[in-house]
Amino acid sequence: MVRIRTQREIDIIATSCQIVADTLDMLTEHVIPGARIIDLDERAEAFIRNQGARPAFKGYMGFPATLCVSVDDEVVHGVPNDRVLEEGQIVGIDCGAEKDGYYGDHARTFAIGKVSDDKQKLMDATRESLMRGIAAAKPGNYVSDIGYAIQSYVEKFGYSVVRELVGHGIGSELHEEPQVPNYGQPKQGYKLREGMCIAIEPMINLGVKEVKTDSDGWTIRTADGEASAHFEHTIAITAKGPEILSKGEALRG
Ligand code: MG
Ligand code: MG
């Protein structure tokens, strides 16, 4: 069932989204060469709890941490450990928070120091594909219009779209219906309506679209070992169009 949210509910979802956006803003200066991933995770957890919220991923299906931290060929769901970030890596950080029963979900990919042109362009295209997907999320459009906007943009550069993992409805649960794929043909699936809240999250690979799961049962990585980027926003669909709820400082201007 796809839930339609009241303005009051959207306001609470927006609060949780602001907490995750603030968390990633707070982390930015620490996501540098030499940083230990587990330290980033502890910093994020303390920051979220200090605001009366709860890290949404910790304990979700047994996930052990606050952040998913995915390095280079890791697509998503990397488990924080004592690995140290190195110059030239790109690192996806995905964060969720729950406050007063409602969820926010947001991810960015960070460059660690100077990265290769290939990686920088992949990150830039993935971020832009998210914005194009969001622009397609207006009342009267269909769920697949979002994926079509994302896929048709990134494939122009020769990149590929991960199929196994998708965006999702969000609100009183972290993952709700509908599923929001990052690929597809226009005008298919559920019709978008005012009051829907969804997380749009393109996972875009430099090489092939295929992925595999590590033996830890969590980490998803590209089948060919090439880099992958991931950006995610939680949005509300309003009468005026899509409204990004997880805006960080850069988007708030
Ligand atoms: Mg996420
Ligand atoms: Mg998500």
Side-chain angles (χ1 to χ4, degrees):
M1 188 187 70
V2 173
R3 294 184 176 89
I4 300 299
R5 301 295 177 184
T6 64
Q7 187 58 50
R8 180 189 154 274
E9 288 179 300
I10 292 172
D11 290 345
I12 308 175
I13 294 167
T15 299
S16 293
C17 287
Q18 203 52 65
I19 291 169
V20 283
D22 290 347
T23 303
L24 293 192
D25 282 345
M26 176 279 294
L27 282 179
T28 300
E29 67 174 309
H30 303 288
V31 184
I32 54 174
R36 273 205 322 166
I37 293 175
I38 194 73
D39 294 338
L40 300 175
D41 192 74
E42 284 173 10
R43 215 179 260 281
E45 177 169 2
F47 186 86
I48 290 168
R49 292 196 191 281
N50 272 340
Q51 293 169 81
R54 178 179 70 81
F57 300 167
K58 198 162 194 172
Y60 184 82
M61 316 261 284
F63 191 78
T66 293
L67 303 174
C68 294
V69 181
S70 307
V71 180
D72 283 341
D73 65 320
E74 298 169 5
V75 178
V76 284
H77 301 170
V79 181
N81 55 22
D82 58 8
R83 282 189 298 174
V84 171
L85 297 178
E86 294 172 18
E87 176 98 17
Q89 292 175 329
I90 61 170
V91 179
I93 301 186
D94 195 347
C95 185
E98 176 263 320
K99 187 171 163 69
D100 300 330
Y102 290 87
Y103 289 84
D105 192 1
H106 174 45
R108 302 177 198 165
T109 298
F110 295 83
I112 307 305
K114 178 93 183 98
V115 303
S116 69
D117 279 357
D118 278 354
K119 287 180 179 176
Q120 187 62 51
K121 285 177 182 161
L122 174 70
M123 287 197 301
D124 292 345
T126 305
R127 188 192 299 104
E128 174 62 20
S129 77
L130 170 59
M131 300 316 286
R132 288 173 183 238
I134 291 169
K138 48 192 181 189
N141 270 5
Y142 291 78
V143 165
S144 74
D145 292 326
I146 298 168
Y148 178 74
I150 292 167
Q151 181 182 19
S152 57
Y153 181 70
V154 299
E155 287 187 348
K156 282 191 299 204
F157 303 97
Y159 303 145
S160 62
V161 177
V162 173
R163 304 298 204 271
E164 285 84 349
L165 298 132
V166 297
H168 49 91
I170 181 168
S172 44
E173 293 174 66
L174 179 59
H175 296 126
E176 300 181 355
E177 289 182 59
Q179 292 200 347
V180 183
N182 299 301
Y183 60 92
Q185 295 301 313
K187 303 220 172 302
Q188 291 173 8
Y190 200 87
K191 196 170 192 176
L192 300 171
R193 291 165 57 196
E194 187 182 343
M196 287 175 63
C197 290
I198 57 176
I200 303 176
E201 50 178 316
M203 288 151 260
I204 307 300
N205 296 350
L206 198 54
V208 300
K209 65 181 184 299
E210 283 76 20
V211 296
K212 57 189 181 184
T213 307
D214 275 8
S215 57
D216 66 8
W218 285 110
T219 312
I220 310 283
R221 65 176 75 232
T222 59
D224 60 5
E226 295 283 357
S228 185
H230 178 217
F231 287 85
E232 174 178 28
H233 275 304
T234 296
I235 69 161
I237 297 172
T238 76
K240 284 182 275 184
E243 182 186 348
I244 300 174
L245 303 180
S246 49
K247 275 184 183 172
E249 274 167 20
L251 280 179
R252 288 201 297 271

